[in-house]
Amino acid sequence: MNIFSDLLDAMASFVRNNPLTVVVIVMLAVFVPSLFGALLIGALILVLLLVAWPVIILFRLRRMGRRIEEEAARNFGEGYDPNRQYTRRERGERSTGDVKIYTASVKEKRVKSNVGDYVEFEEVESEKSVEKDGEE
């Protein structure tokens, strides 16, 4: 019952604060009922969409979550079974002394041997370093 009184109070305050808007709405309802009905239906559809859209998104997300869970159960089994005796390898443990060796495969050179030039160079002392050495 409290909801209805709150709703009536809100409508009365709207009429009190917006008299011109209320007059225009009443005139539309009296003189052009088809346009008023169309506007009213459009407003109701807009309100329903604003209310229904989050609910629709919520249901779609829940359905997508269930679908992902089912796919994971299909691909990876039914999950962890606490009663099953897992081996060390299945548990991801290694025993002491286990050694893993990773080898890299030797690939041939990508560049042919006849491509490019060999440049010889020598280190040349700069004149400043030679002068400093001579002063000492």
Side-chain angles (χ1 to χ4, degrees):
M1 195 68 179
N2 195 15
I3 295 173
F4 294 118
S5 63
D6 289 341
L7 187 61
L8 286 174
D9 287 340
M11 287 174 27
S13 67
F14 179 79
V15 170
R16 199 176 314 117
N17 294 333
N18 304 305
L20 186 59
T21 305
V22 172
V23 168
V24 169
I25 290 173
V26 169
M27 288 177 66
L28 274 175
V30 170
F31 297 114
V32 191
S34 60
L35 180 62
F36 177 74
L39 291 176
L40 186 63
I41 290 172
L44 287 175
I45 289 173
L46 182 66
V47 168
L48 285 175
L49 284 176
L50 289 175
V51 171
W53 189 251
V55 174
I56 292 169
I57 294 297
L58 178 68
F59 283 119
R60 290 191 70 185
L61 286 174
R62 283 186 181 171
R63 185 175 52 191
M64 190 181 308
R66 271 190 250 120
R67 198 176 302 152
I68 289 171
E69 286 177 1
E70 290 169 1
E71 185 177 332
R74 237 188 347 257
N75 291 338
F76 302 112
E78 291 299 321
Y80 177 74
D81 183 10
N83 298 324
R84 182 173 171 217
Q85 297 295 323
Y86 290 96
T87 63
R88 284 180 176 229
R89 177 170 286 174
E90 288 174 326
R91 286 189 303 232
E93 297 177 11
R94 285 195 253 164
S95 60
T96 308
D98 282 354
V99 177
K100 279 193 171 183
I101 299 174
Y102 299 100
T103 58
S105 60
V106 178
K107 296 181 181 178
E108 295 182 23
K109 289 185 177 181
R110 292 185 191 176
V111 181
K112 295 179 182 177
S113 60
N114 61 357
V115 173
D117 295 327
Y118 180 74
V119 178
E120 246 182 75
F121 66 94
E122 292 180 7
E123 273 191 45
V124 179
E125 292 184 19
S126 65
E127 293 178 18
K128 291 180 184 177
S129 64
V130 171
E131 290 174 7
K132 287 182 183 176
D133 292 337
E135 291 176 6
E136 293 179 5

